[in-house]
Amino acid sequence: TAFEALLLVSVASLKRQSGRSDGGFYINDIMVKMEGVASAFGDKQYLPVPTFGELLGVLNRLGEAKVLSLQSANGKRSGVYGVSGAENTRVSLQLEDYEIIGALKDTLHGKLAENYLTGTRF
């Protein structure tokens, strides 16, 4: 979906920008990045960005698929989590930029991935 593509590109962009190869970004930081990417890119399919609750659903699905790693506040790694204390969950991407670019290349989201995951743009 458009939200899944926006999430993957946003987390990968955060990873590049921060230099943290292991990721570990808070959900609120990801939401801010998603808003910035969606607004700057200007394609209406990414707007409005998902709400916190909608984002939790997307994170849950991608966590179950092992695309993302989610670490709860109690330190246990899991692909699935509840909503209690969810804002303190850290999210790590299990894919490299080139894998996201390749996966989205021939889709409606290819330009988004190429725009944010190639070169030096963050």
Side-chain angles (χ1 to χ4, degrees), residues 52 56 81-87:
F52 188 81
L56 290 178
Y81 59 92
V83 295
S84 177
E87 66 275 355

Side-chain angles (χ1 to χ4, degrees), residues 18-105:
S18 70
R20 295 192 316 217
S21 61
D22 62 341
F25 303 103
Y26 289 111
I27 294 174
N28 288 331
D29 295 334
I30 293 170
M31 288 190 71
V32 169
K33 185 63 172 185
M34 289 175 71
E35 289 174 15
V37 168
S39 295
F41 193 65
D43 190 324
K44 292 183 182 189
Q45 70 178 321
Y46 304 112
L47 295 167
V49 296
T51 65
F52 188 81
E54 291 169 332
L55 181 56
L56 290 178
V58 174
L59 288 170
N60 197 28
R61 285 194 305 277
L62 294 178
E64 287 175 345
K66 307 295 186 207
V67 173
L68 299 171
S69 172
L70 307 172
Q71 186 172 12
S72 64
N74 67 7
K76 295 183 179 178
R77 288 195 173 276
S78 172
V80 184
Y81 59 92
V83 295
S84 177
E87 66 275 355
N88 294 320
T89 299
R90 289 185 172 260
V91 178
S92 298
L93 185 61
Q94 301 301 305
L95 301 172
E96 297 296 329
D97 291 357
Y98 72 89
E99 293 172 304
I100 296 170
I101 293 167
L104 298 177
K105 182 179 180 181

